[in-house]
Amino acid sequence: MPETLIKVDLAQSPYENENIHNRWHPDIPMAAWVKPGDDFVLETYDWTGGAIKNDDSADDVRDVDLSTVHFLSGPVGVEGAEPGDLLVVDFLDIGAKPDSLWGFNGFFSKNNGGGFLTEHFPQAQKSIWDFEGMFTKSRHVPGVRFAGLIHPGLIGCLPDQAMLDTWNKREQALIDTNPTRVPPLANPPSPQTAHMGKLQGAGRDKAAAEGARTVPPREHGGNCDIKDLSRGSRVFFPVYVKGGGLSVGDLHFSQGDGEITFCGAIEMAGWIHMRVSLIKGGMAKYGIKNPIFKPSPITPNYKDYLIFEGISVDEGGGQHYLDVHIAYRQACLNAIEYLKKFGYSGAQAYSILGTAPVQGHISGVVDIPNACATLWLPTEIFEFDIQPSANGPVKAVSGGVDMPLSPDL
């Protein structure tokens, strides 16, 4: 059996675990060291560290302190890893913690985080999903059951000081273009809630003041939310500090492409079994500045899809030039409106798109002025027929438990 290098107690605050951190900084000490060729297990909190509960209220999603996230297990140092190398990480297996066989999906309030469709869903809501082996279903979103593709939403290596300084400079410059925007354009360092692992004293305080938030993906990997990084995947991470400093968290039981609900996917506590190796000088050899990966050979076997198109014309009829962000928003909104015809609330439909193995594609970016994006919705996840027909849609979902909604305070 592989050694479990980092364990988490879900009854304990992640701030009390020195093998957990929630910022990126090169001074965070390694929680453990391994050798190339070693395999090991890391346990993880859910990304909020247990702030979201298995109940029928969305107040916890509304009130969550987003300056605390994400809680990551690590960093793990790899002997012999040096800047310029590639750290090769094989995902051998991933699972939910046996004492926590459930997950959550939610929409943040526009006043606390927002999300991809926050103008349409400005209030906090959540859905709870129970795990049935490899399948999941929700008491808050009836009529669907699907196989999960468990993956880490967030995994990456520590940045060096130069890279950290670049992140902070460019993101602050973006914030400065509209400093009062709600939600904000980016998240600057927030030392008050920083957890820096084993780092203590004045060194901890200095690092906390400049440690990068874990919210976005960056050159080192980070919060990329790639649903196909499941068991059987291999990732090649650029190394920036001695030892690499590999950290992981934010495990998802299942997710649609784009993680469009932001408190997205089906968030869970769990564990991941990995093996590491090195390609010396691999960054220069292969011209790599961002991670590359090989996807999992194991994916849910859905073959029938309804594909919704969106173009770069916004909800108000405004024309945008080849804007794939706008186009994908429109594809998502079109799918939501379609699912509402079968009895779902808009929130339930939105939750399905964030949690089920939905595929998102950039279908066209050359035919001016409209980009075309598509959302591929697997029809087989539904317990009733959602295909268009001459008879029109049948409201198969009615009278069920809707998703909990919390008013803004």
Side-chain angles (χ1 to χ4, degrees):
M1 293 293 292
E3 182 180 2
T4 300
L5 296 182
I6 295 177
K7 297 182 179 182
V8 301
D9 179 353
L10 299 181
Q12 178 189 49
S13 166
Y15 286 101
E16 299 173 10
N17 190 326
E18 66 177 8
N19 296 321
I20 304 296
H21 64 100
N22 66 356
R23 299 291 189 270
W24 294 114
H25 196 284
D27 292 346
I28 297 175
M30 301 299 176
W33 284 89
V34 297
K35 297 178 180 179
D38 285 352
D39 68 294
F40 52 88
V41 171
L42 304 181
E43 295 182 351
T44 71
Y45 289 91
D46 78 76
W47 72 297
T48 71
I52 309 303
K53 306 303 180 184
N54 186 352
D55 59 26
D56 298 325
S57 169
D59 291 356
D60 48 9
V61 174
R62 180 194 64 197
D63 300 334
V64 67
D65 183 354
L66 293 179
S67 73
T68 66
V69 297
H70 303 72
F71 290 102
L72 307 179
S73 297
V76 174
V78 180
E79 294 180 13
E82 298 174 314
D85 294 344
L86 287 177
L87 178 61
V88 185
V89 182
D90 288 297
F91 297 171
L92 303 181
D93 203 1
I94 314 176
K97 281 183 64 67
D99 55 341
S100 186
L101 297 179
W102 64 277
F104 61 89
N105 172 259
F107 319 155
F108 290 129
S109 163
K110 182 180 178 181
N111 296 320
N112 186 26
F116 189 58
L117 300 179
T118 193
E119 301 300 329
H120 297 268
F121 301 93
Q123 295 173 274
Q125 294 188 247
K126 80 176 181 187
S127 55
I128 299 298
W129 297 78
D130 294 309
F131 305 153
E132 302 172 344
M134 65 182 292
F135 293 92
T136 188
K137 63 189 307 183
S138 171
R139 63 182 180 267
H140 298 129
V141 186
V144 289
R145 181 175 183 266
F146 49 84
L149 186 63
I150 303 176
H151 60 279
L154 199 163
I155 184 169
C157 293
L158 293 178
D160 61 16
Q161 188 67 49
M163 176 164 284
L164 175 64
D165 292 344
T166 295
W167 293 350
N168 285 335
K169 181 178 179 181
R170 74 189 184 198
E171 290 170 25
Q172 186 60 53
L174 179 62
I175 294 170
D176 291 343
T177 64
N178 189 358
T180 60
R181 183 180 186 271
V182 177
L185 289 169
N187 296 277
S190 181
Q192 296 84 356
T193 54
H195 180 31
M196 309 304 285
K198 295 181 178 181
L199 194 59
Q200 300 293 329
R204 180 263 173 210
D205 294 342
K206 176 182 179 298
E210 59 187 20
R213 297 287 303 282
T214 61
V215 175
R218 300 186 180 95
E219 289 87 343
H220 69 144
N223 193 25
C224 295
D225 295 312
I226 301 170
K227 78 177 193 304
D228 298 295
L229 288 184
S230 189
R231 58 175 62 90
S233 296
R234 169 174 287 183
V235 191
F236 302 83
F237 288 104
V239 173
Y240 298 101
V241 301
K242 184 177 180 180
L246 179 69
S247 297
V248 64
D250 186 28
L251 296 193
H252 299 161
F253 187 86
S254 179
Q255 178 201 302
D257 277 338
E259 199 191 13
I260 61 173
T261 50
F262 186 22
C263 182
I266 300 175
E267 310 284 351
M268 63 178 236
W271 53 269
I272 180 167
H273 179 196
M274 298 184 286
R275 177 182 292 122
V276 295
S277 57
L278 293 171
I279 298 177
K280 300 299 293 180
M283 289 179 67
K285 286 179 181 177
Y286 292 101
I288 290 175
K289 69 174 185 179
N290 296 80
I292 61 174
F293 75 96
K294 293 175 64 65
S296 170
I298 301 173
T299 59
N301 189 29
Y302 297 117
K303 298 178 180 178
D304 188 72
Y305 293 85
L306 278 180
I307 301 174
F308 296 85
E309 291 188 17
I311 59 174
S312 48
V313 176
D314 63 34
E315 294 93 307
Q319 180 70 65
H320 299 260
Y321 180 77
L322 297 182
D323 189 324
V324 295
H325 180 270
I326 297 292
Y328 195 54
R329 276 174 56 92
Q330 296 310 306
C332 294
L333 290 169
N334 289 340
I336 289 170
E337 286 302 310
Y338 184 89
L339 290 176
K340 286 166 63 176
K341 300 300 183 181
F342 294 87
Y344 286 112
S345 70
Q348 289 172 324
Y350 188 22
S351 184
I352 290 170
L353 301 188
T355 59
V358 167
Q359 296 182 24
H361 294 261
I362 298 173
S363 299
V365 289
V366 296
D367 298 314
I368 61 173
N370 283 333
C372 178
T374 51
L375 181 144
W376 296 44
L377 178 65
T379 63
E380 297 148 292
I381 70 173
F382 295 92
E383 295 174 345
F384 52 90
D385 187 6
I386 67 165
Q387 302 283 356
S389 73
N391 295 326
V394 175
K395 288 196 173 183
V397 178
S398 62
V401 178
D402 202 354
M403 290 175 56
L405 170 69
S406 284
D408 287 332
L409 298 180

